[in-house]
Amino acid sequence: ERHCPPGQPSSATLLPLAAALLAEAGTGFSELDAIAFAEGPGSFTGLRVACGVAQGLAAAHDLPVLPVGTLAAMAEAVASPRVAVCLDARMNEVYFGLFEEGEPVSVIGVYPPAAVPLPEGGGWVAAGNALAAYPVLAERMNAVCTALLPEVLPTAAAVARLAAPRLLRGECLDAADAVPVYVRDKVALTVAERLAQGGKA
């Protein structure tokens, strides 16, 4: 696993890092069985880069692709059977989903922090950077969860672990059919909306 360096566009660093990782493992793109990528939800630019790079590599090397949900990858990174995933969606919203034993048990949605649906029953762990971004969300989740893990983010390793069994089951797509999952259509606030919230034009 490699991480794109902060402060640099992932579109410029992603391919060289992937090539270096494969070279270190003594293999290359053409030796792979498939390309997995995090399909979303998440950063709009990040999702487009991930999907575009996956499609480009898959098309160039005649490989299938395996889209993996971003929130599922976050749940995979948590050592708990019940995970409430809370990813900062910006614009005062949260991407949210519930997972039990790695499987989604709620619809992935986007909510204001004060309106995120609370999990019912015991044994839930809340994970994701929205817990740090929105104190009201952390307070609400803390009342019903056994632990809060605001440091959890989706990782390439978690995406690969989730993709591997799906590859064995033949659940692949053609590169042309891969698309990001945005969950919401609105990508930014207008100038008027930013000013109304006390921001800058």
Side-chain angles (χ1 to χ4, degrees):
E1 185 177 42
R2 294 289 184 275
H3 299 274
C4 292
Q8 298 183 41
S10 58
S11 57
T13 58
L14 182 55
L15 280 173
L17 285 171
L21 177 65
L22 291 176
E24 184 179 302
T27 189
F29 292 115
S30 61
E31 302 300 314
L32 300 177
D33 295 308
I35 303 287
F37 73 99
E39 66 178 349
S43 149
F44 289 90
T45 301
L47 296 183
R48 287 193 297 270
V49 169
C51 185
V53 168
Q55 285 181 309
L57 288 172
H61 300 284
D62 195 25
L63 298 171
V65 296
L66 287 157
V68 173
T70 305
L71 302 192
M74 293 172 68
E76 167 69 16
V78 177
S80 174
R82 307 182 96 187
V83 186
V85 180
C86 311
L87 180 64
D88 187 4
R90 311 292 181 176
M91 295 169 49
N92 202 38
E93 290 184 321
V94 178
Y95 294 124
F96 180 78
L98 297 174
F99 293 81
E100 289 194 55
E101 302 291 349
E103 296 297 324
V105 292
S106 73
V107 174
I108 304 298
V110 61
Y111 305 90
V116 168
L118 297 177
E120 297 179 358
W124 289 96
V125 170
N129 63 353
L131 297 166
Y134 305 110
V136 66
L137 175 64
E139 183 178 339
R140 294 178 70 233
M141 286 294 165
N142 193 46
V144 296
C145 294
T146 60
L148 303 185
L149 304 173
E151 70 281 1
V152 172
L153 290 171
T155 66
V159 169
R161 285 195 302 270
L162 290 174
R166 292 177 51 201
L167 173 63
L168 294 177
R169 294 193 298 264
E171 299 173 10
C172 299
L173 298 178
D174 289 334
D177 295 327
V179 294
V181 173
Y182 294 118
V183 176
R184 71 174 179 205
D185 295 323
K186 188 174 178 67
V187 301
L189 296 175
T190 66
V191 170
E193 289 168 332
R194 288 197 303 272
L195 290 173
Q197 293 181 1
K200 298 179 180 179

